Amino acid sequence: MAILEVLHFPDKRLHLIAKPILQINSEIKSLVADMAQTMYKENGIGLAATQVNVQKRIFIMDHSGNDEPENLLVFINPEILSRTGEVVSEEGCLSVPSVYEKVLRSEEIFCRFQDLDGKIHEARYNGLMSICFQHELDHLDGKVFVEYLSGLKQNFIKKKMKKIFKPI
Ligand code: NI
């Protein structure tokens, strides 16, 4: 296993569109292990392959609390089949550290994805699962959550990121 480098906004590679996974082989399993290790180290609750510069349609989540056992969820070739309602909630992202902003999302989603064994699942999500699924799926389509904000706010965030990641 390895800790992977997480790309930071406004890195252009975050805008690349991820490609479908045709075969869930050892390469994908090893990617999931590396992504999980990276997400846990960075204290994230979700991580998409795009964020570690891998253009494959896969993201992971773990919403278990600090005192709970790990509960890694893997979503391969995820898609949203239908959406209902609207909800505004505050989001953060490992690619935009220390930035938390309110974003409008669908309240409930009906989605489809494959697990690490290739089995197809369909599920209806609301609450944190729904928000996180939409946020991570956006990454696979090359979109970072701050791109929903005004141009003024995005410029402010870009400046903030430059300060955080300025070359030493
Ligand atoms: Ni994110």
Side-chain angles (χ1 to χ4, degrees):
M1 287 205 286
I3 304 277
L4 305 170
E5 189 199 342
V6 177
L7 303 179
H8 295 116
F9 181 78
D11 193 310
K12 286 186 172 61
R13 291 170 290 177
L14 286 169
H15 300 313
L16 297 173
I17 312 282
K19 293 189 178 68
I21 292 172
L22 304 177
Q23 207 190 351
I24 301 166
N25 51 22
S26 59
E27 184 200 339
I28 298 297
K29 285 175 185 165
S30 140
L31 172 65
V32 168
D34 291 348
M35 283 174 66
Q37 207 186 8
T38 306
M39 179 178 74
Y40 290 131
K41 186 200 157 239
E42 305 247 351
N43 292 316
I45 59 165
L47 184 70
T50 309
Q51 292 177 272
V52 291
N53 198 26
V54 175
Q55 286 76 46
K56 293 187 193 322
R57 299 195 78 79
I58 180 168
F59 59 72
I60 59 170
M61 290 186 207
D62 190 333
H63 295 168
S64 57
N66 285 338
D67 303 330
E68 295 167 352
E70 287 178 0
N71 179 28
L72 185 70
L73 305 172
V74 179
F75 301 85
I76 297 172
N77 297 322
E79 50 183 328
I80 295 174
L81 303 176
S82 66
R83 316 162 167 265
T84 48
E86 288 184 333
V87 65
V88 173
S89 64
E90 200 172 73
E91 298 184 19
C93 180
L94 292 180
S95 291
V96 202
S98 77
V99 170
Y100 300 90
E101 293 284 348
K102 284 185 172 146
V103 173
L104 177 71
R105 298 277 187 191
S106 303
E107 188 174 20
E108 190 177 86
I109 56 166
F110 182 58
C111 56
R112 185 189 286 152
F113 56 90
Q114 281 172 274
D115 63 22
L116 212 41
D117 296 317
K119 194 173 170 231
I120 295 171
H121 298 265
E122 287 187 345
R124 199 173 294 281
Y125 292 136
N126 52 41
L128 183 61
M129 281 298 291
S130 169
I131 306 284
C132 199
F133 194 103
Q134 293 172 71
H135 175 118
E136 301 306 335
L137 186 57
D138 269 356
H139 276 303
L140 303 185
D141 290 324
K143 187 154 186 171
V144 182
F145 83 105
V146 293
E147 291 171 272
Y148 287 106
L149 307 173
S150 70
L152 197 68
K153 260 192 176 168
Q154 288 187 48
N155 282 338
F156 178 78
I157 291 166
K158 279 177 194 168
K159 276 183 196 148
K160 191 171 173 177
M161 291 300 110
K162 255 187 204 159
K163 268 187 198 157
I164 296 178
F165 298 107
K166 72 174 170 210
I168 301 157

